[in-house]
Amino acid sequence: MIRKLVFATSALLASSLSAQVPPPEDMRLYDIGAATSATRIEQDVAKLVGFGTRHSLSDTQSESTGIGAARRWIQAEFEAISKQCGACLEVITIADTVTGKRIPDPHEIVSVIAIQRGQSDPNRMVLMSGDIDSRVTDPMDSTSTSPGANDNASGMAGVIEAARVLSRYKFSASIVYAGLSGEEQGLFGGKIVAAHAKENGWNIDAVLNNDMIGNVAGINGIVDNHTARIFSEGVRWVETEEEARKRYFTGGEVDSASRNLARYIKRVGEQYVNNMDLMMVYRLDRFGRGGHHRPFNEAGFPGVRIMEVNEHYDRQHQDLRTEDGRQFGDTIEFVDFGFAAKLTAVNAVSLAALAWAPAPPADVSIEGIVQASTTLKWSMGEDINLAGYRVYWRLTTEPVWTHSRWVGKTDNYTLENIVIDNYLFGVASVANDGNESPVVFPGPAGAF
Ligand SMILES: [Zn+2]
């Protein structure tokens, strides 16, 4: 009788412990991190370069040259991938007719989108993007040869390759693979798709925009094939004056959802992709320059730009030519496909981890003024895979989260004798398989 009781108690203890603390790693992510193919990316970059120009105002009728042929090929490629996974991708185009400084006459900008629907939370989305279009020296030149091999066939090929790899798996949330047009004419594809997402109530938690992921030899003479940059906004573009006032007194300048998404990609990418150092840059984008994550940030969606560290300006937006023995032009010979495959893998493991994780915690708040301890509160999530929560903290000058603890399935936690003034805090949702959401900083400054 007594022995039976002891047995029952220890079995209960063991089962409750294993149910409570999810595993620290997901072995599937190592497989995904090693699955992207440099050869397939090379073939796709070559195919895109082969359209002659992909300028947004170029020919749309030809089957072999111009932006129309390029986007129809991308659409066909997504449809071919979908065939391999039992029609797991919904392939659509999202278009609008626009004008702008670099689009003087009304012109239709068409983006190509493939959606891999989530199993349990299909309206929650994580999105990877690259650009279809290219340009040379004159942004209005729609006829000259414009290979755009690195800018941005590399990013587009990465998106297609990520779809090939991830379509072999099933996820809780949806993954969106986006080929965006009109980037060089004024970020139009991103604006149109972000507006479509808002109108249709897409709940996008993360935009991973890839723009130039294949150059390893910089104009500064540095050759580096194991470092990449993640750019992110520090303060949300959509912050209101009242929210800014609150942030002024309570912090959050370096903890927007986009910034904590950047930290997430750094952690997951360095864990699951070999020989990869991810360098967060605490700015929206390169100094004074633009990319397609910005229109998503401007629509209120968390998003980052992923790209090489060492750029080569002779190979961006240049007419193909040689001047005094110096070669100009964004040609395929300068793209490092192994590097592009690694950056694609960084995207793939991040998208997979995000899509397997529960939704980021909502309504996160914090209190602890003139107290010894700090209390975090949030709303209990409803994901069927939710195991519980992990609270995080770090010194205010630390770039990444340094401390954390598992707190179980609760909607609040008090960190005893940890004073609110001296640290930054956040909370992440954790799935039964161990995959976590990004860390959410309290209040509107950090909300996803
Ligand atoms: Zn460009």
Side-chain angles (χ1 to χ4, degrees):
M1 188 68 184
I2 288 168
R3 255 176 46 201
K4 220 171 166 183
L5 191 72
V6 168
F7 174 77
T9 311
S10 63
L12 187 74
L13 240 169
S15 76
S16 70
L17 275 180
S18 62
Q20 272 181 5
V21 186
E25 290 168 61
D26 184 337
M27 299 309 287
R28 294 171 298 182
L29 293 172
Y30 288 110
D31 297 337
I32 292 170
T36 57
S37 157
T39 307
R40 286 192 298 254
I41 288 174
E42 177 172 8
Q43 287 164 355
D44 292 349
V45 171
K47 183 74 192 177
L48 289 161
V49 167
F51 292 110
T53 178
R54 304 184 308 282
H55 191 278
S56 293
L57 307 180
S58 64
D59 187 8
T60 58
Q61 301 304 312
S62 164
E63 278 309 312
S64 57
T65 59
I67 184 92
R71 71 185 180 232
R72 284 190 293 277
W73 174 76
I74 292 163
Q75 187 166 357
E77 206 54 34
F78 281 144
E79 282 161 0
I81 294 166
S82 188
K83 259 198 183 141
Q84 300 291 313
C85 61
C88 75
L89 301 180
E90 296 163 28
V91 184
I92 58 170
T93 56
I94 299 177
D96 199 3
T97 299
V98 297
T99 54
K101 207 174 77 190
R102 291 179 181 173
I103 305 182
D105 302 315
H107 196 86
E108 193 184 35
I109 298 295
V110 184
S111 296
V112 184
I113 310 288
I115 304 171
Q116 184 178 353
R117 285 282 168 203
Q119 306 288 298
S120 58
D121 197 1
N123 200 45
R124 186 163 65 82
M125 294 172 164
V126 294
L127 181 150
M128 176 181 180
S129 58
D131 305 307
I132 304 173
D133 61 308
S134 66
R135 61 166 281 195
V136 287
T137 305
D138 174 2
M140 300 306 295
D141 180 348
S142 62
T143 55
S144 294
T145 299
S146 177
N150 192 44
D151 182 14
N152 186 13
S154 67
M156 189 64 244
V159 171
I160 296 168
E161 177 63 3
R164 286 190 194 106
V165 170
L166 295 177
S167 58
R168 299 175 203 152
Y169 298 83
K170 296 209 181 307
F171 298 95
S172 308
S174 296
I175 300 179
V176 182
Y177 309 96
L180 303 174
S181 292
E183 197 264 352
E184 305 289 6
Q185 306 314 109
L187 309 178
F188 284 101
K191 282 178 204 168
I192 294 163
V193 173
H196 176 95
K198 257 185 121 168
E199 278 161 26
N200 290 277
W202 292 10
N203 175 16
I204 302 178
D205 278 342
V207 172
L208 280 61
N209 182 49
N210 291 259
D211 195 345
M212 298 195 278
I213 61 168
N215 192 71
V216 297
I219 200 162
N220 53 5
I222 294 174
V223 180
D224 170 357
N225 72 352
H226 63 92
T227 314
R229 291 182 287 183
I230 313 169
F231 288 90
S232 59
E233 62 178 1
V235 172
R236 295 184 316 150
W237 175 265
V238 295
E239 182 180 62
T240 65
E241 243 177 84
E242 177 54 28
E243 287 166 353
R245 202 190 65 81
K246 190 180 174 225
R247 176 176 53 74
Y248 192 69
F249 295 102
T250 58
E253 296 81 2
V254 292
D255 278 277
S256 65
S258 299
R259 183 62 50 75
N260 276 310
L261 174 61
R263 292 189 179 103
Y264 185 88
I265 296 165
K266 177 177 170 59
R267 179 177 68 76
V268 174
E270 290 179 354
Q271 176 69 40
Y272 293 106
V273 181
N274 283 351
N275 191 27
M276 194 77 246
D277 295 319
L278 295 169
M279 168 182 164
M280 286 192 293
V281 184
Y282 276 22
R283 6 170 80 118
L284 170 67
D285 205 324
R286 286 86 40 77
F287 188 93
R289 302 180 70 195
H292 251 150
H293 57 312
R294 194 176 94 209
F296 288 94
N297 289 163
E298 289 176 355
F301 298 119
V304 302
R305 177 189 185 127
I306 296 172
M307 73 177 302
E308 67 219 19
V309 176
N310 298 291
E311 295 180 55
H312 202 304
Y313 309 114
D314 291 356
R315 303 171 192 162
Q316 297 175 10
H317 306 177
Q318 295 283 358
D319 291 336
L320 303 185
R321 67 193 191 281
T322 302
E323 282 177 12
D324 304 324
R326 187 168 170 179
Q327 190 183 341
F328 290 87
D330 188 357
T331 51
I332 193 164
E333 67 201 273
F334 298 116
V335 178
D336 186 303
F337 304 104
F339 182 66
K342 271 204 292 197
L343 266 62
T344 300
V346 167
N347 280 267
V349 294
S350 302
L351 293 166
L354 285 160
W356 273 321
D363 310 314
V364 180
S365 66
I366 191 164
E367 51 203 57
I369 297 177
V370 296
Q371 288 171 30
S373 305
T374 299
T375 297
L376 284 150
K377 294 180 179 170
W378 55 90
S379 295
M380 182 67 80
E382 284 166 5
D383 299 66
I384 55 166
N385 305 317
L386 178 72
Y389 296 89
R390 181 173 286 278
V391 298
Y392 282 85
W393 65 104
R394 66 181 205 268
L395 286 169
T396 61
T397 50
E398 294 277 5
V400 295
W401 298 102
T402 54
H403 293 67
S404 75
R405 70 162 290 170
W406 168 249
V407 300
K409 204 163 184 175
T410 173
D411 61 2
N412 70 89
Y413 192 78
T414 297
L415 290 160
E416 300 291 348
N417 290 320
I418 294 181
V419 175
I420 194 169
D421 307 327
N422 301 339
Y423 302 91
L424 297 169
F425 299 86
V427 57
S429 320
V430 188
N432 291 312
D433 62 17
N435 284 299
E436 292 191 20
S437 75
V439 179
V440 180
F441 184 87
F448 271 72

